[in-house]
Amino acid sequence: GREEDQNVYLAALAKDFNMSLPYLSYLCRSSPSSIRRTMKTMFPTVPSDSQSRYLAMLCLPTLADFYTCYPRMEALLTFNAQNPTGHYSLDLSNSCEFAVAQRLLLLDRWEAVCNKRRQRVDTSAMGNKSQLRNESHRGRPLHLRVRSVAEWSLPEYGIFDLDYVSCYRPPAKASPLSDGLWESLMVAMYNCKEYRPQDKLKALRSISHLIFITCMHMRQMVGYFQESEFREEAFVTFFPRVVDMHNSKQFTVRFDRQEELQRLRNRLGFVTSFPFLQPENTRY
């Protein structure tokens, strides 16, 4: 009967603690009337492997409870840490989206350390080896222009809007998907006409870390999406997975408008997307 106290208690636990599944199960059983609120708030505290998440979902007694909770948990459930490149707009008052923001900052610091250890040239926008671009925060000011990525901090609420660009690239001996398998994937997506383009993008993102593609594959995928919004998102997602970037002209010509290319270069970084091997006919 003390819902306000319960909310404060759960919010504090969600952002400061990690929990095992029995603890989450006990929280749900101790207050059956607030299972949905408990799951939406405490879900980021359990281990992030698929088995633990599946068992955690079993705490929801009905399918209706799952459908009600899923929109609040979707950002965390669909986050692919092995290919994080993409656009994020995160509500920091939502514990699941706050957890995604924390993971992005952790990835950013880890990649910055790897780049420094390998003595790579700093190509970040602010000269601090950060992979986060176009950062903005609507609400309480978020201090982003810092000297070191170790100084980044997140407030408790507000909208954190950014593009994350991973420095990961395919290994020298990486093998792309065969043409036949990639075409089968595109045909399967085309036949799923009852699904929205954004749903198909989520499915592609969830498996993007498992495959490498060629520039011709990228060309086919860019031609698949009709609306520029979804075309750009698919392009950004698979850009770090292209094995023959020296043939990038094969897919850049599929963008009819220079404004689209300019937006993509701004999102990915101008050094990252610079056509080093074939710069002719490129506008700057």
Side-chain angles (χ1 to χ4, degrees):
R2 298 168 60 181
E3 294 187 2
E4 186 175 351
D5 294 342
Q6 287 179 334
N7 285 334
V8 174
Y9 180 66
L10 290 176
L13 287 176
K15 294 185 177 180
D16 291 329
F17 292 90
N18 292 325
M19 290 199 172
S20 60
L21 292 173
Y23 285 121
L24 177 62
S25 177
Y26 178 79
L27 284 172
C28 292
R29 293 198 311 271
S30 64
S31 182
S33 62
S34 59
I35 288 180
R36 295 180 180 180
R37 181 181 58 199
T38 301
M39 283 295 298
K40 289 186 291 187
T41 306
M42 300 302 298
F43 189 72
T45 66
V46 301
S48 56
D49 59 278
S50 57
Q51 295 88 347
S52 298
R53 286 184 173 178
Y54 172 77
L55 293 173
M57 291 292 187
L58 296 180
C59 294
L60 294 169
T62 66
L63 193 59
D65 293 321
F66 172 78
Y67 279 130
T68 303
C69 295
Y70 183 81
R72 294 276 295 180
M73 302 157 58
E74 183 179 19
L76 183 59
L77 288 170
T78 58
F79 176 63
N80 188 347
Q82 298 187 68
N83 184 25
T85 299
H87 181 76
Y88 299 87
S89 184
L90 305 169
D91 181 4
L92 298 180
S93 63
N94 179 344
S95 60
C96 291
E97 297 189 22
F98 185 89
V100 173
Q102 285 184 318
R103 284 159 170 76
L104 286 172
L105 292 181
L106 182 61
L107 277 170
D108 182 66
R109 293 166 186 169
W110 177 70
E111 290 198 355
V113 170
C114 291
N115 290 336
K116 185 176 180 180
R117 184 180 302 160
R118 296 174 182 176
Q119 298 182 344
R120 292 173 176 166
V121 176
D122 182 8
T123 61
S124 61
M126 294 183 289
N128 61 355
K129 298 186 181 297
S130 174
Q131 270 61 248
L132 281 71
R133 305 185 56 79
N134 305 332
E135 309 90 346
S136 66
H137 179 263
R138 300 192 295 276
R140 177 182 174 184
L142 182 60
H143 302 291
L144 292 173
R145 296 189 176 277
V146 293
R147 298 292 297 176
S148 169
V149 291
E151 299 173 18
W152 287 60
S153 61
L154 286 173
E156 296 292 320
Y157 61 90
I159 303 299
F160 189 30
D161 193 85
L162 74 151
D163 288 288
Y164 188 92
V165 184
S166 174
C167 62
Y168 177 84
R169 293 296 178 269
K173 297 182 180 180
S175 299
L177 285 185
S178 64
D179 294 342
L181 185 56
W182 180 256
E183 290 176 5
S184 298
L185 179 62
M186 292 292 104
V187 170
M189 288 178 53
Y190 177 78
N191 291 332
C192 296
K193 297 181 180 180
E194 65 273 20
Y195 294 102
R196 302 174 301 171
Q198 52 266 43
D199 297 327
K200 296 178 182 180
L201 278 173
K202 292 175 184 176
L204 284 175
R205 174 178 285 278
S206 68
I207 63 170
S208 60
H209 66 285
L210 300 173
I211 59 179
F212 296 105
I213 64 174
T214 65
C215 288
M216 283 302 297
H217 296 161
M218 178 72 85
R219 177 187 175 98
Q220 293 173 355
M221 183 172 61
V222 167
Y224 172 81
F225 292 98
Q226 297 180 355
E227 299 182 29
S228 61
E229 174 188 358
F230 305 123
R231 183 165 57 244
E232 291 178 17
E233 203 61 40
F235 179 89
V236 170
T237 299
F238 281 91
F239 185 85
R241 315 300 296 180
V242 175
V243 298
D244 57 339
M245 195 57 71
H246 51 277
N247 294 322
S248 59
K249 274 191 175 181
Q250 292 177 338
F251 57 73
T252 54
V253 296
R254 294 303 298 265
F255 293 94
D256 299 330
R257 295 181 299 170
Q258 189 67 25
E259 294 79 10
E260 283 188 271
L261 280 175
Q262 189 71 7
R263 284 198 301 269
L264 289 170
R265 288 168 181 159
N266 186 50
R267 290 182 59 180
L268 292 169
F270 289 93
V271 175
T272 302
S273 57
F274 190 86
F276 289 98
L277 297 179
Q278 295 179 332
E280 61 272 10
N281 297 324
T282 302
R283 297 182 182 179
Y284 305 100

